[in-house]
Amino acid sequence: MSEDKLLEQAAFSEKSFWDKLKHFAKAAGQDVVERALCLYYAAQKPDTPLWAKTVIYGALTYFISPIDAVPDITPVLGYSDDLGVLVSAVLTVAMYVTDEVKQQARDKVRAWFD
């Protein structure tokens, strides 16, 4: 299955991902944003296998979805479910979240939060 087909089936949208990060980065917090970016950058690597991209896009789709187990507008707990899904995905595909990927995510987080 092609990556485009995978994205289409997963309902992941790169535009929605960047829009959510741009508008809710501060509310979501650095932990959530950094993990989401690690997954995103890992998925962009050509050597990341399809099964790992499926896990990644599933987690990122949950992250950008307006329907959550805990609504994002809920004070304090709003992004806790997102963080749980993102952490689980990072652990599942950890071998593809390379030092380079982590550095890309850290650099972007620093640019947004510093």
Side-chain angles (χ1 to χ4, degrees):
M1 179 183 302
S2 74
E3 190 171 329
D4 290 337
K5 248 326 183 210
L6 175 66
L7 290 174
E8 185 178 303
Q9 287 183 346
F12 175 80
S13 159
E14 204 164 322
K15 181 183 179 331
S16 294
F17 173 73
W18 288 111
D19 284 349
K20 176 132 186 190
L21 281 181
K22 214 181 312 178
H23 293 101
F24 297 102
K26 299 274 190 214
Q30 286 181 298
D31 286 342
V32 171
V33 171
E34 189 166 337
R35 283 177 176 82
L37 287 168
C38 278
L39 290 171
Y40 175 78
Y41 291 132
Q44 303 310 303
K45 294 179 65 68
D47 59 330
T48 301
L50 185 58
W51 73 264
K53 289 181 181 188
T54 301
V55 169
I56 291 168
Y57 289 130
L60 293 178
T61 298
Y62 183 85
F63 173 67
I64 63 174
S65 173
I67 301 170
D68 276 355
V70 179
D72 293 340
I73 60 170
T74 305
V76 181
L77 297 176
Y79 287 94
S80 61
D81 60 321
D82 296 278
L83 180 59
V85 169
L86 295 172
V87 167
S88 295
V90 167
L91 291 172
T92 301
V93 301
M95 68 183 76
Y96 303 104
V97 181
T98 63
D99 289 340
E100 175 190 346
V101 164
K102 290 175 190 173
Q103 190 60 52
Q104 280 181 285
R106 277 193 295 270
D107 291 346
K108 184 63 93 173
V109 165
R110 276 192 206 111
W112 283 348
F113 285 92
D114 287 346

